[in-house]
Amino acid sequence: MIISSSTAMAKPSFPHILSLLLLILLFTFSSLPGTFAARRLSLKEATIDDLQLAFKHNQLTSRQLVQYYHSQIRKLNPVLKGVLEVNPDALHLADKADYERRTKAPVSLLSKLHGIPILVKDNIATKDKMNTTAGSFALLGSVVPRDAGVVEKLRKAGAIILGKASLSEWSHFRSNKAPSGWNARGGYGLNPYTFSDPCGSSSGSAISVAANLAAVSLGTETDGSILCPSGYNSVVGIKPTIGLTSRAGVVPISLRQDTVGPICRTVADAAYVLDAIAGIDHNDIATIETSKYIPKGGYAQFLRRNGLGGKRIGILRAFYNFGNDTALAQTFEKHLNTLRKGGAVLVDNLEIANLTDIYSSSDEDTALSVECKISLNAYLKELVASPVRSLADVIAFNNKHQKLEKIKEYGQDLFLAAEATNGSGKTEKQALLNLARWTRIGLVKLVTEKKLDAVVTPKADFSKILAIGGAPGLIVPAGYENNGRPAGICFGGLRGSEPKLIEIAYAFEQATKIRKPPSFKGFKF
């Protein structure tokens, strides 16, 4: 774990250690009054509702909770590398939340996220003592002009920014050779179930929530970077409709495909976080138009156990390929039966038009290369201070610091391809037209003509369809592969269909409750 001197955690004092030990004993052995006692809260898998109930009964403070997560990070992060930096002001922010809870506002008026520590991916700007680097030394010491739009909303909701989650460097858009979960500053993040590939660029966000380094986190996705790591790490991820959440202050790849969403252990927690971060941000004009999709009363109202009733869900059999893993194939057939038993109408054997073209074409890469150069240059130029001011500067920095950035091992082919572009020419415009057409005659036509509420696929293989269409996806723990790696089940729909996806996913989650924490069996920390 890389923690700069400006962000290092202070060595805990004896009173703090004693407080933490008492806290652990409290939740392990004590008999507490009322409902709280019956539930016997364990901080290991505590949800937002659990934590808020503990706050309400004066059995837990935000300071104690931050101390607990600090201890988890100290213990597990040197191996898992899910956290890149911790916020040196986290305890101060926790004390502020505790004070507000005691004196300023009735508990009933406080946000669900009030006093809850949250990790944000290190490509999401925080105007504080922490760095925002996308995992690269090239941005170490850079100064952002303001909090990212989603961070501003989190702070307004009373959440505590606990730290920065690690990621695949530059959101996995520097090189095709670099492994998922690797960045120069923090090294290689590990899946806590298999101690191997964590998948996607929001790897640290998923690793940390899965391993209980935090209860909730934020990730970003351009294509699969929330859905895939969430599936691989047995957590819940929501990839929102493009523009539903602000991208302002996020190190970009493509404003056409980039989105910010929650990674949590439950659908309920993800809905609470989405409620906090969705909405208009005038620094991201896409949020103005997309705000029309936000339901009055928010997303938490769709956490319904009977949410499957009457839903029409399409099954795309082209994605149901499990190789030799017959057990996983059987698991997913059982899941389809679970959906049926919950009252859903399953429309089987559907096909997406031009599916082969979509997955074999380089058009998405062509478009992303142009968009990366334009949007990244704009982001870098807006920084208050930075060692680099353009993509060309970043490439030069990497060449100058090849050992530090492992250029010989992994290269920077995606950056070089992006820098070689010169705006949107005939090829790029045709690529964009193709992507729009494939969405129109593919996902949109299928869902509309078949009158579907959602489609369901195993794992995150459907992410490309959702990415090029700017459409939402929600992935929930679904089982485990032969090698022990978790697998998710993904529900996707048209733009603005988050309420239906939450209803479906929550009802499925409550009917199955598949997630289990990593055992760390045979591994020493």
Side-chain angles (χ1 to χ4, degrees), residues 125 127 132-133 138-146 170 249-252 376-390 394:
K127 185 68 173 175
T132 303
T133 69
L139 281 178
L140 190 63
S142 63
V143 180
V144 299
R146 64 189 74 86
W170 295 105
V250 176
V251 181
L376 186 55
N377 283 347
Y379 173 88
L380 295 173
K381 286 177 182 177
E382 193 184 20
L383 293 174
V384 175
S386 176
V388 291
R389 289 294 184 180
S390 66
V394 175

Side-chain angles (χ1 to χ4, degrees), residues 481-492:
E481 299 183 33
N482 284 333
N483 61 3
R485 185 171 67 196
I489 186 169
C490 183
F491 302 98

Side-chain angles (χ1 to χ4, degrees), residues 150-425:
V150 290
V151 171
E152 183 180 355
K153 289 181 182 294
L154 286 175
R155 294 195 200 276
K156 186 177 180 180
I160 297 164
I161 308 301
L162 179 65
K164 292 294 185 76
S166 64
L167 72 165
S168 302
E169 187 172 310
W170 295 105
S171 294
H172 219 174
F173 205 75
R174 191 193 91 180
S175 165
N176 279 314
K177 295 179 181 178
S180 288
W182 176 86
N183 67 78
R185 287 187 61 212
Y188 186 32
L190 297 177
N191 184 319
Y193 292 86
T194 62
F195 297 99
S196 59
D197 182 10
C199 193
S201 78
S202 300
S203 49
S205 301
I207 291 167
S208 298
V209 170
N212 202 41
L213 307 185
V216 292
S217 67
L218 280 192
T220 68
E221 175 158 334
T222 305
D223 185 341
S225 290
I226 288 175
L227 297 177
C228 189
S230 296
Y232 268 42
N233 293 275
S234 199
V235 291
V236 173
I238 298 180
K239 179 243 182 209
T241 299
I242 299 301
L244 190 71
T245 56
S246 173
R247 289 79 51 81
V250 176
V251 181
I253 295 175
S254 161
L255 293 181
R256 183 181 49 81
Q257 289 190 196
D258 290 349
T259 187
V260 181
I263 296 178
C264 308
R265 286 191 290 268
T266 68
V267 177
D269 284 0
Y272 297 151
V273 176
L274 186 60
D275 270 332
I277 63 174
I280 293 174
D281 176 8
H282 290 283
N283 289 315
D284 181 357
I285 59 173
T287 61
I288 299 173
E289 171 66 16
T290 311
S291 66
K292 68 185 180 185
Y293 293 127
I294 300 175
K296 185 178 180 179
Y299 292 101
Q301 64 183 304
F302 298 101
L303 298 168
R304 300 168 179 165
R305 288 180 179 269
N306 63 348
L308 288 168
K311 295 292 189 300
R312 286 178 59 84
I313 303 175
I315 302 174
L316 302 171
R317 288 291 177 180
F319 293 92
Y320 286 72
N321 182 4
F322 302 97
N324 296 324
D325 199 335
T326 56
L328 193 63
Q330 291 171 359
T331 295
F332 272 88
E333 287 303 318
K334 289 180 181 177
H335 291 334
L336 296 181
N337 285 329
T338 296
L339 298 176
R340 291 187 185 97
K341 289 178 181 177
V345 176
L346 299 192
V347 187
D348 208 343
N349 297 309
L350 298 182
E351 296 181 359
I352 289 274
N354 296 94
L355 187 64
T356 301
D357 292 337
I358 293 170
Y359 279 84
S360 62
S361 168
S362 61
D363 284 342
E364 184 187 18
D365 294 335
T366 298
L368 292 179
S369 287
V370 172
E371 292 161 344
C372 176
K373 181 179 180 179
I374 294 170
S375 57
L376 186 55
N377 283 347
Y379 173 88
L380 295 173
K381 286 177 182 177
E382 193 184 20
L383 293 174
V384 175
S386 176
V388 291
R389 289 294 184 180
S390 66
L391 176 58
D393 288 348
V394 175
I395 292 170
F397 177 95
N398 291 339
N399 287 332
K400 185 177 180 180
H401 302 89
Q402 292 196 21
K403 187 174 181 180
L404 199 62
E405 286 286 340
K406 292 197 172 183
I407 294 300
K408 288 184 177 180
E409 292 89 340
Y410 303 140
Q412 51 181 334
D413 56 296
L414 295 177
F415 271 0
L416 293 172
E419 179 58 26
T421 63
N422 187 26
S424 188

Side-chain angles (χ1 to χ4, degrees), residues 462-512:
F462 195 59
S463 67
K464 194 178 190 75
I465 304 291
L466 300 174
I468 65 173
L474 201 168
I475 196 163
V476 182
Y480 300 86
E481 299 183 33
N482 284 333
N483 61 3
R485 185 171 67 196
I489 186 169
C490 183
F491 302 98
L494 299 185
R495 292 183 182 225
S497 63
E498 281 84 355
K500 292 179 180 179
L501 300 185
I502 289 170
E503 281 187 306
I504 293 168
Y506 181 75
F508 171 83
E509 175 194 57
Q510 295 304 302
T512 56

